[in-house]
């Protein structure tokens, strides 16, 4: 709705702001919805705009009024899309750029031939005030800050001026032979793109210390007067708008032998820069400038001054949405082609389309099935299929792969990630047929003893033979157990005479000469030294409300201690009852031990097993031993006695009975009934608080309490002292 001369996009790519000189407004644009909002009134004849890196403020140069309008562009702010400050700068401000940290805003003033330095620090006392004015020698036409914020380049009538951003001092003045129209810098800070008023686009080497610093390294012949030039965020392309044209021209920007990293003081050779036309893109009428989405989406916005529109351009050369990658996933690993230590992992390969390189992939972002991360330290780049494109080769955890991926002949598997802040995705359809290792997986095996390796094979597939390998260190080394044996689903293995906490077994199914599938122990198992314990004697008795177990040994080898298992069924249901192992006495000749199990009931038989354990997890079992818990009827003396204000009375009911427990005074009168009901055989404890059945406190004195359970009757004396 308004003629436009400049546009800027917020760092997240959600909003753009188009400057309209004729209407004295800035028009906000919803980038995703491609719609505009009502214009924001600014100063007279606005011509340029810049947005700070955190996406909070936009700074607009008002050429006619000599001011800069500050607009809040943070959607979460209560002053969103409002001008919150108007800063007076020099005459005819024509261009603006912002330091990467947002602390300084640089305004090129064409009329006063200087540069205004504005404080953009939100925490500063001089926020949004001009803190320095730097003469530029001639009319300042444009300004740009290096990506590291160290230098400022100002285009002038005679060329460009280089400023030190720390001191605001001029460090170089470079003539260009013509008035400079605009300046921009490649994202790596190595090249300065200068657009002159005679229509020539000149590229300068501005790498500090370069042998050709501030010298021309390339010139772009356009054949016509140039209105605007911009570099893509990845530095790979230049886009140029010509005068009297309704097109934008795309050029590839290739730097050969770039400076890289050199020791201080060492000569840096000049780069070789190649600029090649790639495409001509139709725009709206009379395009004025181009702005790229800094979030890396590849979207460009072109201001069309003639028909008052914005053109949205996909400047990546790739279709919108995630980049389509070619991926290959290899769940099975051939022994003769691959180092054996790679058996632990599932291999994946990613090949990107032309224009992207595998080295640019953010490996931390890569996910298989949106869940499994690659092994961070295991990857390389190669062109295995010899198509001229290198691939990223990486590996995924086989345990996580087995747990996540279903079995099947045709299972789609995706690999996703980011490259240059763009999403990529690729799908491979693979066979995930594999055996399942039942044993060993999570157990503790004893060295030197036989154990059965047990697995299941997928149904409906002919398995010709099976190979078995094992690793003692979670895949770093693999050793053969059996090669090409019949698929009997079990194999007796003599456990090696070594200890390890990180063991797995790998089963490989063969169909003729091809691998049908591979499966690995889902949980690591351990190999421990054998435990030898000879029990000399074991007794169990019921004492003081507990089952007391006593045992002695006359041989202990590699023993750290004992666990106690208990069940009321001699054949099954045993559970450990001790929280910590009962430590061994440490003598090879044996020792004597005792354990009290208080979590038992009366008139019950319990079965106990002793489990000798080693530090490595090996076990030696003995038992079961039967212990019967019986106790007579009993009434204990109250505690405390004498008491005030309350006392506890314990009693034992040996068999299920109707029970009464009552308190009497010295004359035999009933004072308080504490129990009067059927009770099961067990141990009990009741408290008397010194009140009678009427709810009143009784006086100090001697009282008696009596327990009656069937034919059992017993009494005790107690004293209350108020």
């Amino acid at each position: 709705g308004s003629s436009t001369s400049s546009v800027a996009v917020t760092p997240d790519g959600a909003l753009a702001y188009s400057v309209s000189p004729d209407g004295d407004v800035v028009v906000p644009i919803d980038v995703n919805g491609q719609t505009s909002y009502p214009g924001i009134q600014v100063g007279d004849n606005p011509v340029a705009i810049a947005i700070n890196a955190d996406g909070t403020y936009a700074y607009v140069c008002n050429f006619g009024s000599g001011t800069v309008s500050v607009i809040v562009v943070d959607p979460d702010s209560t002053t969103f899309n409002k001008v919150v400050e108007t800063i007076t700068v020099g005459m005819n401000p024509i261009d603006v750029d912002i330091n990467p940290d947002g602390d300084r805003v640089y305004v090129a003033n064409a009329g006063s031939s200087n540069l205004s330095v504005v404080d953009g620090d939100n925490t500063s006392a001089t926020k949004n005030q001009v803190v320095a004015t730097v003469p530029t020698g001639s009319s300042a036409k444009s300004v740009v800050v290096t990506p590291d914020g160290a230098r400022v380049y100002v285009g002038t009538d005679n060329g460009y001026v280089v400023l030190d951003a720390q001191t605001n001092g001029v460090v170089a003045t470079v003539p260009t032979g013509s008035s400079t129209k605009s300046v921009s810098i490649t994202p790596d800070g190595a090249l300065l793109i200068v657009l002159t008023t005679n229509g020539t686009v000149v590229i300068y080497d501005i790498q500090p210390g370069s042998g050709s610093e501030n010298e021309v390294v390339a010139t772009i012949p356009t054949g016509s007067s140039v209105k605007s030039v911009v570099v893509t965020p990845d530095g790979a392309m230049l886009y140029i708008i010509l005068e009297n044209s309704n097109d934008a021209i795309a050029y590839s920007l290739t730097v050969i032998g770039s400076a890289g990293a050199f020791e201080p003081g060492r000569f840096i050779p000049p780069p070789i820069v190649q600029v090649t036309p790639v495409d001509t893109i139709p725009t709206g009428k009379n395009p004025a400038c181009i702005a790229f989405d800094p979030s890396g989406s590849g979207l460009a916005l072109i201001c069309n001054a003639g028909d008052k529109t914005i053109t949205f351009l996909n400047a990546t050369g790739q279709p919108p949405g995630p980049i389509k990658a070619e991926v290959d996933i290899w769940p099975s690993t051939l022994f003769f082609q691959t180092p054996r230590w790679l058996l632990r992992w599932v291999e994946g390969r990613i090949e990107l389309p032309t224009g992207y390189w595998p080295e640019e992939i953010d490996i931390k972002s890569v996910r298989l099935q949106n869940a499994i991360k690659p092994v961070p330290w295991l990857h390389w780049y190669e062109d295995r299929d010899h198509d001229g494109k290198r691939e990223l080769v990486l590996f995924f955890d086989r345990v996580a792969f087995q747990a996540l991926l279903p079995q099947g002949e045709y299972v789609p598997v995706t690999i996703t990630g980011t490259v240059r802040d763009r999403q990529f995705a690729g799908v491979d359809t693979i066979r995930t047929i594999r055996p399942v290792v039942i044993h060993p997986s999570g157990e503790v095996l004893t060295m030197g003893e036989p154990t059965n390796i047990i697995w299941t094979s997928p149904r409906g597939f002919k398995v010709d033979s099976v190979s078995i390998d094992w690793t003692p260190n979670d895949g770093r080394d693999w050793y053969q157990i059996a090669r090409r044996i019949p698929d009997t689903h079990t194999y007796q293995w003599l456990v090696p005479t070594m200890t390890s906490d990180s063991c797995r077994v790998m089963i490989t199914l063969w169909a003729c000469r091809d691998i049908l599938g591979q499966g690995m122990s889902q949980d690591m198992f351990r190999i421990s030294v054998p435990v030898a314990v000879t029990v000399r004697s074991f007794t169990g008795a019921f004492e003081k409300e507990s089952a007391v177990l006593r045992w002695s040994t006359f041989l202990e080898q590699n023993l750290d201690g004992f666990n106690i298992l208990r069940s009321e069924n001699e054949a099954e249901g045993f559970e450990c009852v001790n929280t910590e192992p009962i430590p061994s006495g440490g003598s090879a000749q044996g020792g004597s031990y005792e354990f009290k199990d208080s979590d038992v009931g009366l008139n019950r038989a319990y079965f106990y097993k002793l489990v000798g354990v080693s530090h490595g997890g090996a076990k030696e079992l003995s038992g079961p031993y039967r212990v019967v818990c019986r106790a007579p009827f009993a009434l204990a003396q109250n505690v405390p006695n004498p008491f005030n204000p309350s006392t506890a009375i314990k009693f034992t009911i040996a068999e299920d009975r109707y029970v009464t427990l009552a308190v009497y005074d010295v004359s035999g009168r009933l004072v308080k009934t504490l129990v009067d009901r059927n009770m099961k055989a067990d141990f009990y404890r009741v408290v008397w608080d010194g009140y009678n059945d009427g709810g009143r406190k009784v006086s100090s004195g001697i009282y008696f309490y009596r327990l009656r359970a069937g034919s059992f009757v017993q009494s005790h004396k107690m004293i209350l002292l108020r």
Side-chain angles (χ1 to χ4, degrees), residues 224-510:
S224 178
S225 179
V226 179
K227 186 184 298 184
S228 175
V229 61
V230 66
V231 188
T232 56
D234 60 6
M237 303 284 288
L238 288 178
Y239 280 79
I240 292 175
I241 295 176
L242 302 177
E243 295 280 4
N244 304 316
S245 168
N246 295 331
D247 297 315
I249 304 175
Y251 291 80
S252 67
L253 179 63
T254 306
V255 180
I256 303 172
S258 58
F262 289 88
E263 296 178 3
R266 184 175 176 181
F267 173 78
I268 302 175
I272 300 173
V273 179
Q274 293 180 348
V275 184
T276 307
V278 173
D279 202 358
T280 299
I281 304 117
T283 65
K285 186 177 180 180
N286 191 19
C289 72
I290 302 178
F292 280 88
D293 174 5
S295 71
S297 68
L299 182 69
L301 276 67
I302 303 175
C303 296
N304 303 307
D307 54 13
K308 303 177 182 179
T309 63
I310 296 287
T311 295
F312 289 80
L313 171 67
N314 172 21
T316 65
Q318 299 294 328
I323 299 168
K324 186 177 181 180
E326 292 184 15
V327 301
D328 290 300
I329 299 161
W330 302 88
S332 299
T333 308
L334 293 175
F335 297 101
F336 56 87
Q337 289 183 348
T338 308
R340 293 177 63 81
W341 56 271
L342 290 180
L343 289 174
R344 176 64 176 80
W345 318 105
V346 172
E347 180 181 328
R349 289 174 171 267
I350 304 170
E351 184 177 295
L352 298 174
T354 302
Y356 293 91
W357 292 269
E359 291 83 358
E360 297 178 297
I361 293 175
D362 179 5
I363 294 178
K364 292 181 180 179
S365 72
V366 176
R367 295 292 185 274
L368 187 146
Q369 293 298 78
N370 296 316
I372 305 176
K373 299 178 182 179
V375 183
W377 49 267
L378 183 60
H379 64 272
W380 60 79
Y381 306 92
E382 66 180 22
D383 181 11
R384 176 181 284 186
D385 55 8
H386 306 293
D387 64 349
K389 296 180 181 179
R390 287 161 60 83
E391 305 126 24
L392 169 61
V393 183
L394 32 66
F395 295 85
F396 301 90
D397 181 42
R398 187 178 293 275
V399 171
F401 185 87
Q402 291 180 169
L404 182 65
L405 271 294
Q407 295 208 44
E409 274 277 22
Y410 305 101
V411 177
V413 183
T414 62
I415 296 181
T416 58
T418 59
V419 55
R420 292 191 216 156
D421 295 323
R422 279 198 69 187
Q423 284 287 120
F424 71 82
V427 181
D428 190 14
T429 301
I430 65 173
R431 169 190 277 181
T432 58
I433 300 302
R434 59 179 176 265
V436 177
V437 178
I438 306 300
H439 181 274
S441 182
E443 296 85 2
V444 178
L445 305 184
T446 302
M447 66 164 62
E449 293 188 358
T451 189
N452 285 328
I453 298 174
I454 303 171
W455 68 92
T456 61
S457 298
R459 295 180 179 179
F461 294 89
K462 186 178 184 299
V463 179
D464 293 314
S465 60
V466 172
S467 296
I468 308 175
D469 296 83
W470 82 285
T471 172
N473 45 30
D474 197 21
R476 192 165 62 247
D477 300 294
W478 288 91
Y479 302 97
Q480 179 178 315
I481 296 176
R483 184 66 67 231
R484 297 302 189 103
I485 62 173
D487 185 23
T488 59
H489 300 167
T490 183
Y491 181 84
Q492 190 176 74
W493 177 42
L494 187 64
V495 179
T497 55
M498 62 181 297
T499 60
S500 175
D501 294 337
S502 309
C503 304
R504 296 185 193 270
V505 161
M506 174 79 80
I507 305 293
T508 301
L509 304 181
W510 294 87

